Amino acid sequence: MAKATRKPVTARGEQTRQNLLAAAELEFGEKGFHTASVSSITRRAGVAQGTFYIYYDSKEEILRELVRFMNRKLRHTLTQATHGITDRIEVERVGLETFLRFAIEDQNLYRVVLESQFIDESIYREYYEQMADVYTARLEQAQREGQIRSGSAYGQAWALMGMASFLGLRYAVWEGTMPPDDVMETALAFIEGGLVPLKDDDVKAE
Amino acid sequence: MAKATRKPVTARGEQTRQNLLAAAELEFGEKGFHTASVSSITRRAGVAQGTFYIYYDSKEEILRELVRFMNRKLRHTLTQATHGITDRIEVERVGLETFLRFAIEDQNLYRVVLESQFIDESIYREYYEQMADVYTARLEQAQREGQIRSGSAYGQAWALMGMASFLGLRYAVWEGTMPPDDVMETALAFIEGGLVPLKDDDVKAE
Amino acid sequence: MAKATRKPVTARGEQTRQNLLAAAELEFGEKGFHTASVSSITRRAGVAQGTFYIYYDSKEEILRELVRFMNRKLRHTLTQATHGITDRIEVERVGLETFLRFAIEDQNLYRVVLESQFIDESIYREYYEQMADVYTARLEQAQREGQIRSGSAYGQAWALMGMASFLGLRYAVWEGTMPPDDVMETALAFIEGGLVPLKDDDVKAE
Amino acid sequence: MAKATRKPVTARGEQTRQNLLAAAELEFGEKGFHTASVSSITRRAGVAQGTFYIYYDSKEEILRELVRFMNRKLRHTLTQATHGITDRIEVERVGLETFLRFAIEDQNLYRVVLESQFIDESIYREYYEQMADVYTARLEQAQREGQIRSGSAYGQAWALMGMASFLGLRYAVWEGTMPPDDVMETALAFIEGGLVPLKDDDVKAE
DNA sequence: CATGAATGAGGCTTCATTCAT
DNA sequence: GATGAATGAAGCCTCATTCAT
């Protein structure tokens, strides 16, 4: 499938590869995929145009790489932040906040993910499905433990991702800030309201 | 000084303008903005290339027009569908379903809206801010009537739009279908759970 | 040769024709021939695009018309200004000044003439050859009367036109002002120095 | 941020750049700026269309380059031709002739200069102001040495350039020949008549 | 007389990608 | 490993001119 781009072997090569990736993140984040140009990426990376194709098969490929990188990075960040928290609803609270901070911090990377939808849908779907699957697994676990209401964990995952994304869009991306307190509270109300176990669930949990 | 695209004076001109808009909807929806070409739009519309520029200043301008059109159309559809329903939570239920059906039906148009974000952010923001403002006004009204929980109506609007959008993305756009029942139920659980008035609110409502 | 553009017969038609010519003068003068557009000319003239072609066969034709108009106007102005002056060198003095004032006043028209060279050389040549021929005739007359030095009157005409044109370019066109006094004096020194009859000429004049 | 046309690094690149410039000289000279096309220039130069934009930002930029080149070339030619001549009036005589021969020889290049006025006035002004400044300096020197009449050297420069240009236009450009002898004599009469020191100047010269 | 919609050729420019050194 | 010159397809947009009403 891949057209055998020479993978770097030397440390110098690895360095160049990293530089290109970092440059692409900036370039894509600032200008958007289509307005971004390979020549500008190489300029930022301080290498010649041709060098780009030693490491990546195409402009799209580096995008795909970037989205995967973001995926790992976000998941890692979330895992770190919620590590050790046992209450699932608390996890959601912290997770939302962590995500929003992440989106502010890594705005460029985040924009790249969003845009990937219109370059190659498969990149974007891979990202969200991957994310949703992991999320779903965690929620199912919590359901089994009776921490949250039973129901379609997959549906819960998408609903929660939807809320988080839109708050991220509205505040992190558009304003570069966290949502004001009342908005955060409202969001948490939805999370709790939608997840807190009902009486019936207690029974099931037994 | 302005490029002064002629607003059509005759019926024939108006017809051409419509044809171009319809052609653009198809073209953008199928190929995405960047892959779409003006020449293909005019071919679909059955006019010469130059004719395009009599009615629209640029490829971007017709996109903007299209997004505005979609905005009006969706709001109109929602208003129609929820007309006469007095219970706000019921309105939300129906609204979600209506939106999802709309996204399936007018998938092309909906994709155009999503993509507009990466062509010219202002187009996209105009769309969502407009939508959010109207939504917020309605929710505030419902809050005053004690139908839903008090809190940031603006935050509620964004949370609700976020959930709807993601379900629309996952099912309407990706699959072309409505979400399965259990997912819908889960979503409604979030809506109700986040909106149903608390005890305290009863007091305010008096 | 001409493609039989309907010449206007009614007063209304004549008016439209005038309006178009005046609009073209402005448009060409401000933007230059190539940047100027027929549609902008008709807009300025307050008529529809198609109307243009009732009166002029093409964009070039109206340019030609304009240059001819300028030719008549300048010659008329010069004739008026020097009328009654018997001394040829005095005529030259006054003529230079008149020309420069004219170029300041009718800058747009003058620019049009200059540019015509690069649209259709024949327009431009017609203008300058016509001008040179008339000029030459007058100088020959003055030579016969012994008022100015004998020699190629045609050469004198071109030399004088050259000086005038360049001063016109440098000051009238570029600055929109008359040359400073010392420059004018210098120019007049060339005129006199090149035209004042030599001793020998007195003899011939007899 | 700047469009950053690569200044060639290799000899091959430099060669291509030269080829493009030479091709543009031909193309512009033959067809005029507006009728000329970049694609025709690259065809003449034997490279692909895109190559053009590696070396020049736009069609206008290569014009500017060409005019500057012409400026240097003409000044160099004049300097060579008049080198060693001590009498200023003799310098003028030789200069005029040299210029006219140059205009015949490099007719294409010369036309490009003239036309530049209507593409971007700044190109043209740069050319003439540069030329006038150098010329003025030389004339001032001659004035100080009492070789020519005192007065505005700048005015003298423009008057002389005007005469030369118009003779160049009438004969070199239009006919491709030198002016006939009687015309040349007449022109020289103006030069001498306008430059030969007056009695008064003798005094100053002391 | 006038209108204004429609035409369609044609030009400039961009940029991902290849390749010889 | 890296360079940078070259490619060439492809697209947006302009505008003089025509024509039906």
Side-chain angles (χ1 to χ4, degrees):
Chain A
M1 171 147 269
K3 202 193 337 151
T5 33
R6 264 179 269 163
K7 297 297 173 202
V9 258
T10 63
R12 181 191 180 198
E14 181 54 29
Q15 185 52 246
T16 301
R17 189 186 178 81
Q18 299 282 341
N19 292 345
L20 283 168
L21 201 65
E25 178 182 337
L26 271 182
E27 177 78 2
F28 287 153
E30 283 176 14
K31 300 191 191 164
F33 184 80
H34 286 102
T35 314
S37 74
V38 172
S39 83
S40 178
I41 292 173
T42 53
R43 209 176 309 130
R44 282 180 200 254
V47 298
Q49 277 200 60
T51 304
F52 181 91
Y53 291 88
I54 297 175
Y55 297 98
Y56 300 95
D57 280 336
S58 66
K59 197 181 163 189
E60 282 194 18
E61 212 213 68
I62 203 172
L63 174 72
R64 193 179 307 269
E65 206 71 15
L66 225 35
V67 173
R68 289 212 181 100
F69 173 65
M70 160 76 171
N71 193 332
R72 286 195 301 275
K73 190 168 178 185
L74 174 55
R75 289 217 319 276
H76 180 255
T77 304
L78 287 173
T79 305
Q80 291 283 309
T82 58
H83 180 258
I85 304 179
T86 49
D87 178 42
R88 184 67 212 181
I89 294 194
E90 180 62 16
V91 166
E92 292 304 323
R93 247 185 237 116
V94 175
L96 174 60
E97 221 182 284
T98 306
F99 166 74
L100 291 171
R101 289 196 195 290
F102 181 88
I104 293 172
E105 205 73 30
D106 282 272
Q107 212 178 112
N108 280 339
L109 212 38
Y110 186 51
R111 277 173 189 274
V112 170
V113 172
L114 296 181
E115 189 174 10
S116 70
Q117 179 176 188
F118 302 98
I119 310 332
D120 180 346
E121 208 174 271
S122 72
I123 303 180
Y124 184 73
R125 289 180 70 150
E126 179 186 316
Y127 175 89
Y128 273 106
E129 283 172 351
Q130 160 97 247
M131 201 65 94
D133 287 348
V134 173
Y135 207 164
T136 301
R138 301 248 198 289
L139 291 169
E140 279 170 345
Q141 171 66 19
Q143 285 190 16
R144 278 195 297 277
E145 293 171 2
Q147 293 200 25
I148 60 170
R149 188 177 315 178
S150 64
S152 164
Y154 192 68
Q156 293 173 330
W158 279 91
L160 291 165
M161 292 196 306
M163 277 189 288
S165 287
F166 262 53
L167 291 180
L169 178 69
R170 175 64 184 76
Y171 294 99
V173 176
W174 289 358
E175 316 276 344
T177 65
M178 288 296 282
D181 290 345
D182 60 341
V183 169
M184 277 302 275
E185 272 164 38
T186 300
L188 294 173
F190 276 100
I191 294 176
E192 283 171 33
L195 290 183
V196 165
L198 300 175
K199 315 265 145 54
D200 319 0
D201 289 322
D202 298 331
V203 184
K204 287 180 193 161
E206 297 209 44
Chain B
M1 184 128 272
K3 189 99 72 50
T5 38
R6 231 183 283 163
K7 289 287 168 232
V9 185
T10 65
R12 185 189 179 198
E14 182 53 33
Q15 185 53 245
T16 301
R17 191 186 172 86
Q18 302 275 343
N19 293 346
L20 284 168
L21 201 65
E25 178 183 336
L26 275 181
E27 176 79 1
F28 287 154
E30 284 176 16
K31 301 191 189 163
F33 184 81
H34 286 101
T35 315
S37 76
V38 170
S39 80
S40 175
I41 292 174
T42 53
R43 213 175 305 124
R44 282 178 200 255
V47 296
Q49 280 211 52
T51 304
F52 181 91
Y53 293 92
I54 296 177
Y55 299 100
Y56 301 95
D57 278 336
S58 65
K59 198 179 157 188
E60 285 194 17
E61 213 217 66
I62 202 172
L63 174 71
R64 190 181 303 270
E65 207 71 12
L66 224 36
V67 173
R68 288 209 181 108
F69 173 66
M70 158 76 170
N71 193 329
R72 285 195 300 274
K73 190 169 177 182
L74 174 55
R75 289 218 318 275
H76 180 255
T77 303
L78 287 174
T79 305
Q80 290 284 310
T82 58
H83 180 258
I85 305 178
T86 49
D87 180 42
R88 185 67 212 179
I89 294 197
E90 180 61 17
V91 166
E92 292 305 324
R93 244 182 240 119
V94 175
L96 174 60
E97 221 182 285
T98 304
F99 165 74
L100 291 171
R101 289 194 196 290
F102 182 88
I104 293 171
E105 205 73 29
D106 282 274
Q107 210 177 115
N108 280 339
L109 211 39
Y110 187 53
R111 277 174 188 275
V112 170
V113 172
L114 296 181
E115 189 173 11
S116 71
Q117 180 176 186
F118 303 99
I119 314 318
D120 180 345
E121 206 174 274
S122 72
I123 301 179
Y124 186 73
R125 289 182 68 151
E126 180 185 315
Y127 174 88
Y128 274 107
E129 283 171 352
Q130 161 95 245
M131 202 65 96
D133 286 348
V134 173
Y135 208 164
T136 301
R138 302 249 198 287
L139 292 169
E140 278 169 345
Q141 173 66 18
Q143 286 190 15
R144 278 194 298 274
E145 293 171 1
Q147 293 200 26
I148 60 171
R149 189 177 312 179
S150 64
S152 164
Y154 192 69
Q156 291 171 332
W158 278 92
L160 291 165
M161 292 195 307
M163 277 188 287
S165 288
F166 263 54
L167 290 180
L169 178 69
R170 175 64 184 76
Y171 294 97
V173 177
W174 287 358
E175 316 278 344
T177 64
M178 289 295 283
D181 289 345
D182 62 339
V183 169
M184 279 301 276
E185 271 163 41
T186 302
L188 294 173
F190 274 102
I191 294 175
E192 282 170 35
L195 290 183
V196 166
L198 300 177
K199 313 266 149 50
D200 318 1
D201 288 321
D202 298 331
V203 183
K204 288 179 193 160
E206 300 206 47
Chain C
M1 170 147 266
K3 202 197 333 152
T5 33
R6 264 179 270 162
K7 295 299 172 200
V9 257
T10 62
R12 182 190 178 196
E14 180 54 30
Q15 185 52 247
T16 300
R17 190 187 177 82
Q18 299 282 340
N19 291 346
L20 284 168
L21 200 67
E25 178 182 336
L26 272 181
E27 176 79 2
F28 287 154
E30 283 175 16
K31 301 192 190 161
F33 184 80
H34 285 102
T35 312
S37 75
V38 171
S39 82
S40 177
I41 292 173
T42 54
R43 210 177 308 130
R44 281 180 200 254
V47 296
Q49 276 201 62
T51 304
F52 182 91
Y53 291 89
I54 297 175
Y55 297 97
Y56 300 95
D57 280 337
S58 67
K59 197 180 163 191
E60 282 195 17
E61 212 214 68
I62 203 172
L63 174 72
R64 193 181 307 268
E65 206 70 14
L66 225 36
V67 174
R68 288 210 182 104
F69 173 66
M70 159 77 171
N71 192 331
R72 285 195 301 275
K73 190 170 179 184
L74 174 54
R75 289 218 317 277
H76 180 254
T77 303
L78 288 173
T79 305
Q80 291 283 307
T82 57
H83 179 259
I85 305 179
T86 49
D87 178 41
R88 184 67 212 179
I89 294 196
E90 181 61 16
V91 167
E92 292 304 323
R93 244 183 238 118
V94 174
L96 173 61
E97 221 181 285
T98 304
F99 166 74
L100 291 171
R101 288 195 196 289
F102 181 88
I104 293 172
E105 205 73 29
D106 282 272
Q107 213 178 111
N108 280 338
L109 212 40
Y110 186 52
R111 278 173 188 273
V112 170
V113 171
L114 295 180
E115 190 174 10
S116 69
Q117 180 176 186
F118 301 99
I119 311 330
D120 179 347
E121 208 174 272
S122 72
I123 302 179
Y124 185 74
R125 289 181 69 151
E126 180 186 314
Y127 175 88
Y128 273 107
E129 283 172 351
Q130 160 96 249
M131 201 67 94
D133 286 348
V134 173
Y135 207 164
T136 302
R138 303 247 199 288
L139 292 168
E140 278 169 347
Q141 173 66 18
Q143 284 189 17
R144 278 194 298 276
E145 293 170 2
Q147 292 200 26
I148 60 169
R149 188 179 314 177
S150 63
S152 164
Y154 192 69
Q156 291 172 330
W158 278 91
L160 291 165
M161 291 196 308
M163 276 189 289
S165 287
F166 262 53
L167 291 180
L169 178 70
R170 175 65 183 76
Y171 293 97
V173 176
W174 288 358
E175 316 276 343
T177 64
M178 290 296 284
D181 290 345
D182 60 341
V183 168
M184 277 303 274
E185 272 164 38
T186 302
L188 294 173
F190 275 101
I191 294 175
E192 283 170 34
L195 289 183
V196 166
L198 300 176
K199 314 268 146 49
D200 321 359
D201 289 320
D202 298 332
V203 184
K204 287 182 193 159
E206 298 211 44
Chain D
M1 184 126 272
K3 191 95 73 51
T5 38
R6 229 183 282 164
K7 288 288 168 234
V9 187
T10 64
R12 185 189 178 201
E14 181 52 34
Q15 185 53 246
T16 300
R17 190 187 172 84
Q18 302 275 343
N19 293 345
L20 283 169
L21 201 66
E25 178 183 337
L26 274 181
E27 176 78 1
F28 286 154
E30 283 176 15
K31 301 191 190 164
F33 183 81
H34 287 102
T35 314
S37 77
V38 171
S39 80
S40 175
I41 293 174
T42 53
R43 211 174 308 125
R44 282 178 200 256
V47 296
Q49 280 210 52
T51 304
F52 181 91
Y53 294 90
I54 297 177
Y55 299 100
Y56 300 95
D57 277 337
S58 65
K59 198 179 158 190
E60 285 195 16
E61 213 216 67
I62 202 173
L63 173 71
R64 192 181 302 271
E65 207 71 12
L66 224 37
V67 173
R68 288 210 180 106
F69 173 66
M70 159 76 171
N71 191 331
R72 287 194 299 274
K73 189 169 179 185
L74 174 55
R75 290 220 316 276
H76 180 254
T77 303
L78 287 173
T79 306
Q80 290 285 306
T82 57
H83 180 257
I85 306 178
T86 48
D87 178 43
R88 184 66 212 181
I89 293 196
E90 181 61 16
V91 166
E92 291 304 323
R93 243 183 241 119
V94 174
L96 174 60
E97 223 182 283
T98 304
F99 165 73
L100 291 171
R101 288 194 195 290
F102 181 88
I104 293 172
E105 205 73 30
D106 281 275
Q107 212 177 113
N108 280 339
L109 211 38
Y110 186 52
R111 277 174 187 275
V112 170
V113 172
L114 296 181
E115 190 173 9
S116 71
Q117 180 177 186
F118 302 99
I119 314 318
D120 179 346
E121 206 175 273
S122 73
I123 301 179
Y124 185 74
R125 290 183 66 151
E126 180 185 316
Y127 175 88
Y128 273 108
E129 283 172 352
Q130 161 94 249
M131 202 65 96
D133 287 347
V134 173
Y135 207 164
T136 301
R138 301 250 197 288
L139 292 169
E140 279 170 346
Q141 173 66 19
Q143 285 188 16
R144 278 193 297 274
E145 292 170 3
Q147 293 200 25
I148 60 170
R149 188 177 314 177
S150 63
S152 164
Y154 191 69
Q156 292 172 332
W158 278 91
L160 291 166
M161 292 196 308
M163 276 189 287
S165 288
F166 262 54
L167 290 179
L169 177 70
R170 175 65 185 76
Y171 293 98
V173 176
W174 288 358
E175 316 277 344
T177 64
M178 289 295 283
D181 290 346
D182 60 340
V183 169
M184 278 302 275
E185 271 164 39
T186 302
L188 294 173
F190 274 102
I191 294 175
E192 281 171 36
L195 289 183
V196 166
L198 300 176
K199 312 267 146 48
D200 318 0
D201 288 321
D202 298 332
V203 185
K204 289 180 191 159
E206 297 207 47

